[in-house]
């Protein structure tokens, strides 16, 4: 029997008001591993009422001292560490990712609680003396009821980076986890309750985007929405949030360039470039999906990437010899396979890895890692976010040309630059229109570092100090001392 999961609303574990549920799958086998509440407007209304009460009757949460808020988050970090193995396995089972990656994610979840637990006591305002008789203060206050709507590629991390910052700031929080991977998100209320979080401060309700997510965004009782997911849904959220002038932050993925110059440490550059698109099955918002390689090393690069694609071992994430798991859902498998078909007519198919042979995985959502060479920057596979293990390799001749091409895309989340020439690296970093630039690396996203996009990759920043600032309002208080 699959686990029957429940929502956490107003401090209690409950089913959806209408009792409906949906299935949660193991993406490696297609088997149902759990069912979860199919929440709708009535459940949203109850969650918002509870979060509102916990915020407005302030003695519960914003009325708690910053030290106490910090301590609760630090205790949550300890509990996540204690449960590390169990949570990592759960994350790997639910999302399909290799267990080593699941372990890394959960380790970072613990640190996120620790990091924002530390910030709780360091929220400071400003004071300025204008003249002998006049001064003003700027107080920072929590925005109110915050909603997090999150995706399935890093289920527990994406939720925690929002809620730990929001709770440190003194907001109350409602989480709508992804319908594909609700398991670890529903562990969060248990962890925080044990850590001492007062009832009503955190609500988690599962359900689909249009029926559970959309009513949260439109709800007049919600002050702030923090979203990670597709650009398409980001635009819907911005539009629907406009009616109530919600504070909205969006992280919407990208089509990130990865640029390799011939003066780089080429072994590291080729391996790092391959990791940038094959890690997490390519289901990474900042994946280096457009790999630009200077012409003199282009053939060597394509050969190295082809070797890598054909040596990936696809299988069950919980099997330690697996290097690449399945995609998250049948829908994503079909979507990515469609892009591979389009790519075959637009560019040269340089290599494709193999699917797992074990019949156990027949109904799993696997897609073979694929390398396309000689891709034109205007091709569909070079313009659109694929969100799978599909690499496009594009040749270039000089710095100006590659920067122009790298910037010629509607997205602007991240970029990698591989070179040992520091001046060239920093010149490129300045010229790239993206929120994150890695020099001689790809994908590190430390919790301390602000994260977010330029252009159509998003609005606002998560993580780092900015991650907490985006849950705080500023109140200016002018004082006439005369
Ligand atoms: P999605 O954007 O539809 O889902 C993300 C979250 O938004 C989920 O919790 C979903 O339930 C919710 N949602 C969906 N529609 C909503 C609505 N109208 N109002 C409020 N909430 C809503 O992403 P999906 O369909 O899972 O994946 C499609 C594509 O999106 C992927 O192929 C990829 O290109 C991109 N994506 C980007 C991510 C990123 O990290 N930036 C993460 C996941 C997907
Ligand atoms: Mg969707």
């Amino acid at each position: 029997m699959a686990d029957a999961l429940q929502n956490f609303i107003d401090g209690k574990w409950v089913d959806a008001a209408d009792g409906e549920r949906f299935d949660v799958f193991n993406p490696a086998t297609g088997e149902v591993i759990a069912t979860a509440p199919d929440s709708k407007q009535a459940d949203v209304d109850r969650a918002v009422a509870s979060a509102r009460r916990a915020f407005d009757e302030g003695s519960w949460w914003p009325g708690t001292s910053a030290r106490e808020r910090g301590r609760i988050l630090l205790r949550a970090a300890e509990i996540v560490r204690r449960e590390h193995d169990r949570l990592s396995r759960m994350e790997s089972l639910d999302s399909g990712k290799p267990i080593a990656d699941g372990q890394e994610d959960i380790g970072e979840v613990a640190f996120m609680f620790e990091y924002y637990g530390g910030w709780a006591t360091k929220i400071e305002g400003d004071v300025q003396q204008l003249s002998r008789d006049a001064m003003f203060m700027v107080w920072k206050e929590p925005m109110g009821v915050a909603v997090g709507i999150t995706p399935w590629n890093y289920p527990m991390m994406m939720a925690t980076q929002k809620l730990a910052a929001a709770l440190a700031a003194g907001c109350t929080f409602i989480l709508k986890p992804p319908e594909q991977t609700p398991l670890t998100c529903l562990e969060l209320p248990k962890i925080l309750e044990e850590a001492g979080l007062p009832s009503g401060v955190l609500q988690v309700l599962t359900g689909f985007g249009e029926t559970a997510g959309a009513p949260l965004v439109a709800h007049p009782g919600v002050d702030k929405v923090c979203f990670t997911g597709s650009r398409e849904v980001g635009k819907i959220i911005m539009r629907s949030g406009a009616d109530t002038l919600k504070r909205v932050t969006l992280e919407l993925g990208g089509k990130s360039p990865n640029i390799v110059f011939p003066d780089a440490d080429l072994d590291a550059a080729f391996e790092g470039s391959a990791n940038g698109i094959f890690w997490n099955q390519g289901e990474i918002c900042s994946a280096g999906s457009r790999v630009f390689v200077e012409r003199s090393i282009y053939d060597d690069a394509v050969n190295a990437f082809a070797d890598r694609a054909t040596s990936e071992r696809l299988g069950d994430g919980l099997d330690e010899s697996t290097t690449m798991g399945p995609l998250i859902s049948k829908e994503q498998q079909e979507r990515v396979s469609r892009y591979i078909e389009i790519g075959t007519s637009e560019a040269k198919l340089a290599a494709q890895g193999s699917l797992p042979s074990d019949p156990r995985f027949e109904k799993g959502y696997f897609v073979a890692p694929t390398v396309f060479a000689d891709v034109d920057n205007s091709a569909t596979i070079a313009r659109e976010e694929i969100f799978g293990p599909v690499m496009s390799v594009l040749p270039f001749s000089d710095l100006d040309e590659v920067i122009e091409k790298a910037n010629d895309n509607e997205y602007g989340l991240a970029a990698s630059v591989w070179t040992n020439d520091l001046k060239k690296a920093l010149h490129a970093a300045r010229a790239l229109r993206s929120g994150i630039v890695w020099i001689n690396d790809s994908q590190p996203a430390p919790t301390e570092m602000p994260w977010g996009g330029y252009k159509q990759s998003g609005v606002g920043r998560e993580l780092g100090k900015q991650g907490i600032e985006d849950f705080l309002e500023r109140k200016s208080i002018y004082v006439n001392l005369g």
Side-chain angles (χ1 to χ4, degrees):
M1 251 290 275
D3 279 352
L5 304 170
Q6 287 187 302
N7 287 333
F8 188 74
I9 298 179
D10 204 21
K12 293 177 214 62
W13 292 97
V14 292
D15 290 329
D18 65 8
E20 291 192 10
R21 309 191 136 262
F22 61 90
D23 291 337
V24 180
F25 302 95
N26 173 349
T29 60
E31 283 161 4
V32 175
I33 50 173
T35 65
D38 185 0
S39 310
K40 306 195 183 68
Q41 184 77 48
D43 308 291
V44 164
D45 289 343
R46 289 185 50 209
V48 175
S50 171
R52 228 15 308 154
R53 246 188 339 269
F55 188 82
D56 294 337
E57 294 173 17
S59 55
W60 265 312
W61 190 242
T64 316
S65 72
R67 287 186 184 196
E68 183 58 11
R69 291 204 302 276
R71 262 196 305 264
I72 290 170
L73 295 173
L74 292 172
R75 268 186 235 128
E78 288 310 305
I79 298 167
V80 172
R81 292 215 168 90
R82 187 190 74 204
E83 301 292 319
H84 181 266
D85 278 3
R86 187 177 65 83
L87 293 169
S88 308
R89 294 181 65 79
M90 190 182 269
E91 196 76 318
S92 169
L93 172 73
D94 203 10
S95 68
K97 66 176 71 195
I99 181 69
D101 296 354
Q103 286 163 346
E104 215 172 288
D105 289 8
I106 304 304
E108 199 65 13
V109 164
F111 179 64
M112 285 170 175
F113 278 120
E114 207 164 65
Y115 178 78
Y116 284 112
W119 268 120
T121 49
K122 292 158 199 78
I123 299 168
E124 292 174 343
D126 294 306
V127 182
Q128 191 177 338
Q129 193 89 33
L130 293 166
S131 66
R132 201 191 59 174
D133 290 341
M135 65 175 292
F136 70 84
M137 295 177 276
V138 180
W139 292 353
K140 290 186 183 170
E141 297 185 338
M143 275 181 179
V145 174
V147 160
I149 298 180
T150 54
W152 38 261
N153 50 345
Y154 291 90
M156 202 173 187
M157 273 174 64
M158 291 288 163
T160 305
Q161 70 189 51
K162 296 172 177 57
L163 80 86
L167 296 181
C171 291
T172 57
F173 197 84
I174 305 173
L175 174 66
K176 207 297 280 170
E179 55 272 28
Q180 297 86 349
T181 57
L183 266 56
T184 49
C185 288
L186 284 166
E187 294 292 309
L188 286 162
K190 298 179 200 162
I191 291 162
L192 282 152
E193 200 176 36
E194 184 185 340
L197 192 76
S199 158
V201 176
L202 172 66
Q203 330 271 333
V204 183
L205 72 163
T206 59
F208 293 91
E210 281 172 25
T211 41
L216 279 168
V217 177
H219 207 293
V222 171
D223 300 292
K224 149 104 189 183
V225 175
C226 194
F227 170 78
T228 303
S230 61
R231 177 171 66 165
E232 185 193 1
V233 172
K235 290 181 183 179
I236 294 173
I237 287 178
M238 206 167 188
R239 255 182 241 123
S240 120
D243 278 343
T244 46
L245 280 173
K246 292 248 159 26
R247 279 79 183 121
V248 173
T249 47
L250 304 171
E251 205 272 79
L252 308 176
K255 194 72 194 176
S256 298
N258 176 97
I259 304 169
V260 187
F261 289 102
D263 59 2
D265 171 346
L266 291 181
D267 288 341
F270 293 163
E271 197 194 335
S273 306
N275 287 338
I277 183 67
F278 292 143
W279 266 343
N280 214 52
Q281 302 73 242
E283 298 168 321
I284 307 185
C285 51
S286 54
S289 48
R290 287 186 295 152
V291 179
F292 291 96
V293 182
E294 206 261 5
R295 286 183 195 281
S296 65
I297 51 167
Y298 181 79
D299 290 340
D300 292 345
V302 172
N303 289 336
F305 302 146
D307 281 351
R308 171 64 180 269
T310 50
S311 61
E312 292 284 352
R313 233 187 103 96
L314 274 66
D316 185 346
L318 289 171
D319 174 346
E320 281 183 10
S321 65
T322 295
T323 62
M324 184 181 282
L327 297 193
I328 193 64
S329 62
K330 191 153 187 54
E331 190 188 345
Q332 284 299 116
Q333 182 190 35
E334 286 167 2
R335 189 188 144 97
V336 174
S337 303
R338 243 184 348 262
Y339 276 113
I340 293 177
E341 245 177 73
I342 294 172
T344 310
S345 67
E346 286 180 329
K348 182 175 147 213
L349 179 63
Q352 196 156 39
S354 39
L355 295 170
S357 52
D358 189 331
R360 204 158 65 85
F361 301 129
E362 224 160 62
K363 294 209 176 85
Y365 316 131
F366 292 92
V367 169
T370 303
V371 178
F372 285 110
D374 305 347
V375 180
D376 193 274
N377 199 39
S378 64
T380 307
I381 56 165
R383 275 187 291 112
E384 297 182 13
E385 182 172 54
I386 298 176
F387 230 66
V390 182
M391 179 194 264
S392 291
V393 196
L394 305 86
F396 74 89
S397 301
D398 63 47
L399 179 67
D400 290 343
E401 178 203 348
V402 76
I403 294 293
E404 193 192 319
K405 284 184 172 165
N407 284 337
D408 184 15
N409 191 275
E410 288 174 342
Y411 288 108
L413 183 57
S416 279
V417 181
W418 300 86
T419 172
N420 279 330
D421 178 343
L422 185 63
K423 202 168 154 192
K424 198 196 294 179
L426 294 180
H427 179 80
R430 187 184 52 207
L432 285 161
R433 297 270 299 151
S434 65
I436 299 136
V437 178
W438 292 291
I439 295 173
N440 295 323
D441 216 324
S442 177
Q443 306 308 319
T447 293
E448 299 92 327
M449 186 172 91
W451 183 268
Y454 278 30
K455 303 195 281 185
Q456 293 191 31
S457 283
V459 177
R461 293 291 178 272
E462 289 186 39
L463 300 179
K465 187 180 180 191
Q466 194 59 37
I468 192 165
E469 293 289 339
D470 280 1
F471 287 100
L472 294 164
E473 292 280 15
R474 276 113 189 109
K475 182 178 280 174
S476 300
I477 298 156
Y478 180 95
V479 186
N480 180 347
L481 297 165

